[in-house]
Amino acid sequence: MVDMNTLFDLQITIFCLMLAGYLLTKLNVLTLDARKPLSGLLINFILPCNIIVSFMIDLNHSILRDCIVIFLVSTCIQIFSAVAGHFLYPGAQKEKLSVLQYGTLVSNAGFMGNPIAQGLYGMQGLLYASVYLIPQRIVMWSAGVTCFTGNRGKNVIKKICTHPCIIAVVIGLIIMLAQIDLPSGLDKTVHYASDCTTAVSMIVIGNILAGVDKREIINKDIFWFCLVRLLLIPLIVLACCRLVHMDEFITNVSVVLAGMPAAATTAILAAKYDGDASFAAEIVFLSTLLSLITVPILCVIMM
């Protein structure tokens, strides 16, 4: 069960850090182009360190079993999201449909999910979040790219196998299964980098939000997407987990991660593959802001 005071403090922290990224961009301390190097820093170094740290726990049969279970839960969520994306947006224009389908399939569970899971459920929550993200990262570079390209794309398997976060999961699993203790200097390096995750992630999101035209977000398609992404999917996950009597801790982590907003890569890939990049930025903007309200609502429902 989530301590509501902890959740309230976490939401304030996330909001303030996002606001910092927004204001730093508006004041030209950060440029809109800063999202690319900052995102690169996150994906290639900070998040991998955060993932490796999450695996630095004493291994027991229960944790190993739960990791397998949450991996299977996440896989089912990805399959459901892929199917749902083809039916939930009838009448959407082609360019917008690709954005809506990708945003439904790939959430911001990496940038926002890991910090929130750690803040709400501690290091065990972070571990489960890291495992939860494996299927999504695979889908992100396969079916996710297909939403924009209409084909399988090139070097999909290579992109998956060489993704820094996937490599970090493999390293983390080796550390956890073999119960390896890293040398002191390396251990501190990984932990110090891991501690930057929440701050840098939220500042990047604030930077992205600063580049959105707020006058364009009053749109029924965007509001419908937010309802699907932030409430419909996680509530279906909650109902299914309760129906099969899933462990409460696994259920809570899965539901919170399933209720994350659209991934920042939605706008990045839309721009790269000539999709509706402005529309993509708008759904990232509104779903991210509304998630500050919907995540506490989900936590209250699960109590």
Side-chain angles (χ1 to χ4, degrees):
M1 184 178 294
V2 176
D3 182 342
M4 295 308 295
N5 288 330
T6 300
L7 177 59
F8 184 66
D9 288 343
L10 181 61
Q11 293 296 90
I12 291 177
T13 301
I14 286 174
F15 176 79
C16 289
L17 288 169
M18 286 172 52
L19 181 62
Y22 181 91
L23 293 176
L24 287 169
T25 304
K26 288 297 184 181
L27 294 171
N28 292 320
V29 176
L30 294 176
T31 65
L32 290 176
D33 293 335
R35 73 186 64 176
K36 186 172 182 180
L38 286 175
S39 296
L41 175 64
L42 266 172
I43 293 172
N44 293 297
F45 181 61
I46 295 177
L47 280 175
C49 288
N50 187 241
I51 290 169
I52 290 171
V53 168
S54 73
F55 282 90
M56 293 180 177
I57 61 174
D58 293 330
L59 179 65
N60 58 53
H61 179 269
S62 175
I63 289 176
L64 190 59
R65 179 201 62 208
D66 288 350
C67 285
I68 294 172
V69 171
I70 202 162
F71 177 88
L72 295 174
V73 170
S74 177
T75 300
C76 291
I77 292 172
Q78 292 302 130
I79 294 172
F80 171 78
S81 298
V83 174
H86 287 282
F87 295 100
L88 291 174
Y89 309 107
Q93 297 175 356
K94 183 179 179 181
E95 292 79 8
K96 290 186 177 181
L97 180 60
S98 61
V99 170
L100 293 168
Q101 289 177 337
Y102 182 89
T104 302
L105 184 63
V106 182
S107 74
N108 207 5
F111 280 15
M112 284 192 72
N114 275 12
I116 289 177
Q118 183 176 357
L120 294 178
Y121 305 111
M123 291 307 296
Q124 189 172 350
L126 176 59
L127 169 63
Y128 291 174
S130 300
V131 174
Y132 176 99
L133 282 164
I134 297 173
Q136 178 170 297
R137 296 195 192 283
I138 293 172
V139 167
M140 179 180 182
W141 296 113
S142 51
V145 173
T146 302
C147 292
F148 294 101
T149 63
N151 55 55
R152 294 182 180 275
K154 299 179 179 179
N155 301 320
V156 171
I157 295 177
K158 180 181 178 181
K159 285 183 178 180
I160 294 170
C161 293
T162 58
H163 193 286
C165 292
I166 297 295
I167 294 174
V169 168
V170 174
I171 294 173
L173 281 170
I174 293 172
I175 289 173
M176 184 176 73
L177 293 174
Q179 292 292 281
I180 297 173
D181 292 325
L182 297 179
S184 178
L186 181 58
D187 182 79
K188 288 181 179 179
T189 299
V190 173
H191 275 83
Y192 287 155
S194 174
D195 290 341
C196 298
T197 301
T198 302
V200 178
S201 296
M202 297 308 122
I203 288 173
V204 169
I205 292 173
N207 174 263
I208 292 171
L209 299 186
V212 175
D213 185 350
K214 285 63 173 185
R215 296 169 295 181
E216 299 294 327
I217 65 173
I218 308 302
N219 181 304
K220 63 181 180 63
D221 290 334
I222 297 176
F223 279 104
W224 171 240
F225 169 82
C226 291
L227 180 63
V228 170
R229 175 72 266 167
L230 301 176
L231 288 176
L232 180 61
I233 291 176
L235 289 176
I236 290 175
V237 172
L238 176 60
C240 292
C241 288
R242 293 276 172 85
L243 186 64
V244 299
H245 304 291
M246 189 76 68
D247 174 79
E248 183 179 2
F249 193 88
I250 293 176
T251 297
N252 291 350
V253 173
S254 298
V255 171
V256 167
L257 293 175
M260 289 294 103
T265 50
T266 309
I268 295 170
L269 291 180
K272 181 176 181 179
Y273 294 109
D274 299 319
D276 194 332
S278 296
F279 180 71
E282 289 157 12
I283 70 169
V284 171
F285 174 84
L286 190 60
S287 63
T288 300
L289 287 187
L290 290 180
S291 70
L292 297 176
I293 300 172
T294 57
V295 170
I297 290 174
L298 292 173
C299 291
V300 170
I301 292 173
M302 291 186 291
M303 291 179 66

